[in-house]
Amino acid sequence: MHTMVLSAVAAATAALSLGALAQSPAAPVDPNAFLNQFEATFGKFEGYRRSGAKGICATGEFVGTADARGLSSASAFSGQPVQVVARFSVGGANPKAPDNTKGQRNMALQFNLPGGESWQMGNISAPVFGSSSPQQFLGRLASLQPDPATRMPDPAKVKAFADANPEVLLQGRHFASQPVPASFGAVNYWGVHAFGFVNAGGTKQFGKWIFEPVGGVQGLTDDEAKAKGPSFLFDDLRQRVKDGKVAFNFNLELAQPGDRIDSATVPLPEGRKKVNLGVLKITSVAEDAGGACLTITYNPMVLPKGVEPSADPMIAARRALRRGPGAAPDRRAKTAVTLLFL
Ligand code: HEM
């Protein structure tokens, strides 16, 4: 019965126009549809992650604060050093994406916690994501799919979808307003979703986090970016880490009653109280394409006790697209995708 309903819904979903698709938040999205759409829109890059394809592994150490312990019982905030496996990447599906253009940079993290617990997150260099629901994301990707004749997205299709879903333009506006990042280690990274922090007394506080570089945000002028060329970020990161210059304050902006906490396209209002949860120091960067991050699928639903997801529908949608158990490193990622209905 359930499967029939789902396939009926899936068929109906396919028949809906792009605009209507985004307007029907209840329609489940088949993860396979996402994977196919990623490839149809951005091209096929065998063996690479479909997003954040151009990436590098790193490791680090996190130490939590007393303020964090007041907000959450998570062992990450014990005050003892916690080992972290990081992956820095350039946004998008292209493993040869240029480093010297404006756009998304990513910092994905796995905190290795006592007792076999872990905490995974994929953070981006914008305070908002490009869509607020899986259906809208799929519609947006479809609207950007290149026209076979021109091999370019059809501007009328892109505009029609964006007119019907104006929030999909917010992230692009943020990137356009920022300089080219000078380094993976000198840009802010937002979690974009709200999470609930639960302390030992059972009190839950929702908030949205941001990793802010201790050394400050640094951007390049257009001339500097041009001079840097398309592949400088990996070596830059290696050098800054060697010099001990890559560390981030892990800060939480606290939501107040009435704030939207269920949308990845609506940041918390300006001026919300910000609590420092601790400092993440990056201590090593892979010298090649290897590293411990290769076998990690950064799933934001992997949370420690003391941290809970909000009702943001995008959090669960991200989980569904993680590669299945036994997925080998990047080179063979394609074959092990687990298909889960959302
Ligand atoms: C329906 C929503 C989404 C879908 C379908 C989706 C899909 C994907 C896929 C297929 C990958 C490659 C994963 C892998 O091969 O391991 C990925 C990576 C990533 N996504 Fe998303 N994503 C979604 C929402 C988001 C949101 C809201 C964020 C914002 C924080 C985000 C941030 C990232 C990051 C940082 C990576 C790179 C992680 C890494 O280094 O492995 N994604 N996403």
Side-chain angles (χ1 to χ4, degrees):
M1 180 62 184
H2 178 62
T3 328
M4 261 167 58
V5 171
L6 274 177
S7 51
V9 169
T13 309
L16 285 173
S17 72
L18 283 177
L21 179 71
Q23 307 302 333
S24 58
V29 174
D30 167 6
N32 213 8
F34 263 123
L35 302 176
N36 294 339
Q37 191 61 63
F38 267 101
E39 290 177 3
T41 300
F42 301 119
K44 217 173 186 157
F45 301 93
E46 201 57 58
Y48 287 92
R49 300 180 189 214
R50 286 173 187 75
S51 183
K54 185 179 185 180
I56 188 165
C57 292
T59 60
E61 192 176 80
F62 174 77
V63 178
T65 60
D67 286 344
R69 290 188 284 284
L71 281 171
S72 167
S73 62
S75 61
F77 304 127
S78 68
Q80 296 304 309
V82 168
Q83 298 312 307
V84 174
V85 180
R87 185 172 183 274
F88 291 90
S89 60
V90 176
N94 180 0
K96 293 198 169 30
D99 295 348
N100 61 344
T101 57
K102 292 184 175 190
Q104 185 170 319
R105 307 292 182 267
N106 302 323
M107 180 173 71
L109 303 171
Q110 175 175 290
F111 294 70
N112 293 337
L113 301 172
E117 251 194 335
S118 70
W119 184 1
Q120 295 181 350
M121 51 177 83
N123 306 297
I124 61 175
S125 58
V128 292
F129 190 67
S131 302
S132 62
S133 73
Q135 297 74 15
Q136 188 183 64
F137 189 28
L138 189 66
R140 172 67 166 168
L141 292 172
S143 77
L144 292 165
Q145 181 173 335
D147 180 301
T150 63
R151 294 171 178 254
M152 294 294 288
D154 173 352
K157 232 184 188 176
V158 175
K159 183 175 183 315
F161 187 84
D163 287 350
N165 304 275
E167 59 192 344
V168 303
L169 298 176
L170 298 173
Q171 190 191 61
R173 283 199 197 115
H174 171 78
F175 291 134
S177 72
Q178 302 297 307
V180 174
S183 171
F184 281 131
V187 66
N188 288 332
Y189 296 101
W190 286 264
V192 303
H193 307 294
F195 288 88
F197 285 67
V198 186
N199 66 17
T203 304
K204 187 188 300 186
Q205 166 71 57
F206 280 97
K208 291 196 174 190
W209 63 66
I210 175 173
F211 285 84
E212 300 181 79
V214 170
V217 170
Q218 295 160 20
L220 301 174
T221 64
D222 292 351
D223 290 346
E224 287 169 336
K226 208 160 167 221
K228 287 270 185 189
S231 280
F232 70 92
L233 285 174
F234 291 2
D235 287 338
D236 165 88
L237 186 67
R238 290 187 182 110
Q239 188 56 53
R240 288 179 188 233
V241 168
K242 267 198 196 100
D243 300 340
K245 291 187 177 149
V246 181
F248 297 88
N249 281 309
F250 181 15
N251 294 327
L252 185 71
E253 292 176 337
L254 306 186
Q256 291 182 7
D259 288 347
R260 284 283 309 269
I261 57 168
D262 62 351
S263 174
T265 57
V266 182
L268 293 177
E270 289 276 331
R272 287 293 180 259
K273 182 179 176 193
K274 193 153 63 172
V275 174
N276 178 247
L277 301 176
V279 176
L280 167 68
K281 186 170 171 54
I282 303 297
T283 51
S284 79
V285 183
E287 284 305 322
D288 55 23
C293 79
L294 291 189
T295 54
I296 299 177
T297 58
Y298 291 91
N299 173 354
M301 286 293 271
V302 174
L303 295 165
K305 188 173 167 301
V307 182
E308 297 177 4
S310 64
D312 182 334
M314 292 294 258
I315 306 177
R318 294 173 66 187
R319 172 187 56 192
L321 268 147
R322 294 300 173 268
R323 290 160 297 156
D330 279 17
R331 296 265 162 267
R332 292 191 300 276
K334 179 165 179 55
T335 57
V337 170
T338 305
L339 297 180
L340 287 168
F341 276 98
L342 296 169

